[in-house]
Structures are given as C-alpha cells and as structure tokens.
Amino acid sequence: MIVAIVLAAGRGARFSDDGRNKLLEDLGGRPLLRHAVDAALGSRAGETVVVTGWDHERIAEALAGLPVTLVHNQFHTDGMASSLLAGLERAREAAGALVLLADMPNVSSAIVDRLIGAFEETQAAAVVPLRGGRRGNPVLLGRELFPRLAELSGDAGARGLLRATANVVEAPIHDDGVLADVDTPADLVSLRERAG
C-alpha cells in the first residue's frame, strides 16, 4: 500500500504577513489545498494523510467530511522535516509514502498514479517526477528510506537525501504541474488567470 501524505502545516510567510493562509485561498471554487488533497483521494493511494500545523482548526474545517486522516504537527515551526516525519508515522507499515505539497494545485491524480506505477514496476528506493530536465514534486519515498528520513531536521525536505540515493527513478511527466507551486499572491493570480 502507498500512503499519500499532504504537507499542509507551514505558515506560508512569503504569501502574506497579515495572517491570511494561502492554503485556504480560493482557486477554482475550492480552497487551494483541496486540489492536492483531491488529487491524492482520486489516486490509487490506499490512505490520504494531511499534516497540519499552523491554522490547524481552519484547515480541518476546510477538509471536513473528506476521507482523510489529519495529523497535527505541534512542532511545525521547526520546519518541513518535522511535518514529513509526522506524516511518516502514519505510513510505517506502507510500502511507500507519496509526499504532496499542499501549495501545488496542478498535480493531478493521473500524475500521482504515474509515480505509483513507476514505483511498482521498478521497486526503486524512490520515484521523482521529471519535467524539462528538472526534478519536481510530489515524490514517492520507498519504505527502505524511512530510517534515513527520520534523521532529517529543520526545513530540509527529502531533496538532499534523494540526491545521495542511488536507486532513484526519474519518471518523465509531461505536465508543468509538478514544478508549479504558490509562494506569493502573484503566483495565485497567475494560476487563476490560466485556469480562467
């Protein structure tokens, strides 16, 4: 089984300094983070875990009624690594964890399934999407990497570990969604314009 982990714990300080949560901003009639969550739910992943932190109550409210497992990371201010580890706690028995970033709304269920399929076919340590020669997100981390992931700290994600891991499969993806995230209000405006 593959567990999808959606990281939705961060403050998103580059987006706003007035307390607005970018993950709750509207995009196409849904909160921004719903796009990543819906992609996970519509995929072949066996379970969808959403890691919350800052603004936990409003994130939980935005996801009310969805078949997701909420994990609150009380140490979210320590950085992304703590949220990744909180999600991995729910995936200990899984063959792998597919890690989605909640601010990447153009990742589809088809992309998620492509990564799961590549993982099943190759039995790689990890699978990363490749678009235009660049590695993107989400990434699928095989269970054999979990002990090494437990050593991460601060704001480090898995990127450095993946660079140092030999058996990483790069899955070609013909979609810019694996590279596009929302860091600023201008990013969100641009996405709205393209969608509109």
Side-chain angles (χ1 to χ4, degrees):
M1 182 182 76
I2 302 297
V3 173
I5 300 172
V6 182
L7 300 182
R11 168 74 176 78
R14 283 183 288 175
F15 185 86
S16 168
D17 58 6
D18 64 4
R20 280 188 304 153
N21 187 334
K22 69 178 179 180
L23 299 182
L24 298 174
E25 292 288 311
D26 181 80
L27 180 64
R30 291 179 287 167
L32 179 65
L33 87 156
R34 277 289 304 269
H35 294 263
V37 171
D38 289 347
L41 289 173
S43 77
R44 294 174 47 223
E47 180 183 5
T48 298
V49 173
V50 180
V51 181
T52 67
W54 181 69
D55 214 6
H56 167 76
E57 291 79 12
R58 290 202 305 153
I59 294 286
E61 184 179 325
L63 300 177
L66 294 178
V68 300
T69 301
L70 294 179
V71 173
H72 178 61
N73 175 20
Q74 60 181 332
F75 304 109
H76 63 93
T77 56
D78 291 347
M80 185 188 298
S82 66
S83 292
L84 178 57
L85 296 180
L88 286 173
E89 276 296 307
R90 287 290 307 185
R92 280 180 297 184
E93 304 304 316
L98 191 129
V99 183
L100 300 101
L101 305 182
D103 64 355
M104 294 186 71
N106 289 340
V107 170
S108 65
S109 297
I111 290 172
V112 172
D113 284 345
R114 169 81 176 93
L115 299 175
I116 293 173
F119 179 74
E120 291 171 342
E121 290 165 15
T122 63
Q123 298 299 303
V127 178
V128 299
L130 191 71
R131 171 67 171 160
R134 294 172 56 196
R135 286 182 172 186
N137 283 292
V139 299
L140 200 160
L141 306 167
R143 186 175 178 175
E144 69 181 81
L145 290 180
F146 290 4
R148 292 168 64 193
L149 290 164
E151 298 169 6
L152 296 176
S153 63
D155 217 25
R159 183 176 296 159
L161 174 59
L162 292 174
R163 277 197 300 264
T165 299
N167 188 18
V168 175
V169 167
E170 295 178 332
I173 302 290
H174 305 293
D175 190 315
D176 289 336
V178 298
L179 301 176
D181 63 355
V182 176
D183 282 332
T184 67
D187 294 336
L188 184 59
V189 168
S190 177
L191 281 175
R192 285 171 174 161
E193 289 172 349
R194 276 181 272 167

